Amino acid sequence: MSAPAAPATTAGPGTREATPSGPSTIPRTMQAVVNHGPERYALETVPVPVPGPGEALVRVEAVGICASDLKCYHGAAKFWGDESRAAWAETEVIPGHEFVGRVEQLDDEAAARWGIAVGDRVTSEQIVPCWQCAYCKRGAYWMCAPHDIYGFKRRTPGAMAQYMVFPADALVHRVPGDLPPAHAAFIEPLSCALHAVERAGIRFGDVVVVAGCGPIGLGMVAGAAATSPAAVVALDSADHKLDLARRCGATHTVNIARDDVVAAVHALTDGLGADVYLEGSGHPSAVLQGLTLLRKMGTFVEYSVFGSDVTVDWTIISDDKELDVRGAHLGPHCWPAAARMLESGRLPLADIVTHELPLSEFQRGLDLVGDGTASIKVALIPG
């Protein structure tokens, strides 16, 4: 963790004010996607950000697009159908929070704090903690009250650009250098999936059900399998995603469009129900499905982005089953493990990362994620 530092000033469309300093090989301008409001993203030429004291300039190699990027693109109010809700992201900000890049410029302070040097391949945890709020002081930095996540706030411009700056308060990790850039950028969603698995407290004899075989769900499958439970059951409506889940470690798969999921899980557990349910689909129906599948005193872990409100009978949680229902947010303390898992080749990333697009095709990337059927993981390659 870094020591607290004063926040850097910002200017322009989510970039720091350019100055003449820095190596001559670094250009003065770059291409970047800029958020001007709901469904008003544009590829623009903006100043290359200049790192301040204790910061690092990073040349972005790849940046993934996830469901929360899509939600920001549509604007929270429009996305939820409730104009009273505030937007997730500030405008005039460069989006993108799952990324990998190469260090181009940093001072001795940054090099010593993070243990990195020019040329190293690095990533930064998606949240830049303040290190001063009540949550940061108690060690829960991922719940930081200001919640400055790359690509959401003007203080923390994101990675849909050719260059970005890691602020002095950032958490920085090295990434295996031999991975293709789009595969290396998968460290962010994988760390999130592993945190959800940690929240579940899986035991060796457990039957674990994972709902959804998108990027987060496949990471959950791999993470759950690594804990060696009795069974890992993957649920999805697409057979090709279920095949990927098998390759990630699922022992059983169920196509929810064809098969009776409850009957399948009950058959596997002698009618008892699953011990753990990891929800990674973001579909409202998956919530009731999980509550129904779980045995009494089972554990439900929620980690997804929903497109609409979810209503269930909470009596199932309390009077019927006395369930443990846990949320999971970001990927705290899981980034080194995610890097090791990527390097091990445990995940079939060549088939999980289905699309690698130039930055100029960001709109196509957003549309692919929104469609949800023609892609699994979409990455932009700014270079």
Side-chain angles (χ1 to χ4, degrees):
M1 294 184 184
S2 66
T9 58
T10 59
T15 63
R16 286 164 178 78
E17 189 68 42
T19 72
S21 64
S24 59
T25 56
I26 298 173
R28 289 179 174 271
T29 61
M30 66 178 182
Q31 293 293 294
V33 177
V34 181
N35 169 12
H36 295 292
E39 300 179 5
R40 293 176 52 228
Y41 284 28
L43 184 67
E44 299 179 4
T45 299
V46 301
V48 170
V50 174
E55 299 183 332
L57 178 69
V58 174
R59 174 173 52 83
V60 180
E61 291 185 321
V63 53
I65 303 176
C66 80
S68 60
D69 290 312
L70 186 70
K71 190 170 181 177
C72 288
Y73 171 71
H74 288 298
K78 181 172 183 178
F79 196 94
W80 284 93
D82 181 354
E83 296 297 328
S84 67
R85 297 195 181 199
W88 267 26
E90 297 174 355
T91 58
E92 312 309 310
V93 174
I94 297 169
H97 63 276
E98 47 183 71
F99 50 80
V100 66
R102 297 277 181 179
V103 179
E104 291 287 320
Q105 184 183 357
L106 78 170
D107 60 16
D108 292 342
E109 177 188 344
R113 183 193 312 110
W114 294 321
I116 59 175
V118 170
D120 284 349
R121 176 180 262 182
V122 293
T123 189
S124 174
E125 296 196 24
Q126 64 280 79
I127 191 167
V128 179
C130 73
W131 303 112
Q132 299 296 324
C133 71
Y135 297 103
C136 285
K137 287 181 178 179
R138 68 178 62 170
Y141 69 87
W142 64 100
M143 299 305 296
C144 174
H147 226 68
D148 291 338
I149 294 180
Y150 290 107
F152 289 74
K153 301 283 188 71
R154 297 188 185 98
R155 290 190 293 269
T156 48
M160 290 188 190
Q162 291 174 297
Y163 293 88
M164 67 184 300
V165 162
F166 289 179
D169 283 336
L171 290 160
V172 176
H173 303 276
R174 285 180 176 166
V175 180
D178 55 349
L179 290 171
H183 297 186
F186 198 74
I187 189 172
E188 192 275 348
L190 183 55
S191 71
C192 294
L194 295 184
H195 178 51
V197 170
E198 281 196 331
R199 290 281 289 158
I202 297 168
R203 295 171 296 186
F204 294 133
D206 284 348
V207 171
V208 181
V209 176
V210 178
C213 294
I216 294 293
L218 291 173
M220 288 175 171
V221 168
T227 68
S228 299
V232 178
V233 184
L235 311 179
D236 205 281
S237 60
D239 285 332
H240 70 283
K241 292 183 178 180
L242 293 172
D243 289 340
L244 281 175
R246 284 270 187 180
R247 293 165 63 189
C248 288
T251 58
H252 301 73
T253 58
V254 180
N255 188 310
I256 61 173
R258 294 195 305 264
D259 303 320
D260 185 331
V261 179
V262 175
V265 173
H266 281 181
L268 182 63
T269 60
D270 295 326
L272 187 65
D275 300 281
V276 174
Y277 184 82
L278 299 168
E279 202 295 293
S281 72
H283 196 284
S285 64
V287 177
L288 180 58
Q289 174 182 264
L291 298 178
T292 305
L293 287 177
L294 282 169
R295 63 165 173 81
K296 292 182 179 182
M297 302 181 75
T299 300
F300 187 120
V301 179
E302 179 56 58
Y303 198 135
S304 58
V305 177
F306 289 98
S308 59
D309 290 337
V310 180
T311 301
V312 295
D313 180 1
W314 276 57
T315 307
I316 301 172
I317 299 169
S318 56
D319 193 48
D320 287 358
K321 294 186 176 182
E322 195 175 323
L323 299 176
D324 284 339
V325 179
R326 302 176 182 178
H329 181 55
L330 305 184
H333 309 300
C334 293
W335 291 68
R340 291 193 299 271
M341 187 173 284
L342 291 177
E343 196 169 24
S344 74
R346 186 183 188 106
L347 293 163
L349 289 170
D351 295 316
I352 292 174
V353 181
T354 54
H355 294 78
E356 298 181 34
L357 307 174
L359 199 61
S360 59
E361 295 187 33
F362 75 90
Q363 186 63 61
R364 181 187 171 207
L366 288 165
D367 292 342
L368 281 165
V369 175
D371 173 75
T373 61
S375 68
I376 297 178
K377 190 64 196 176
V378 178
L380 301 177
I381 311 297

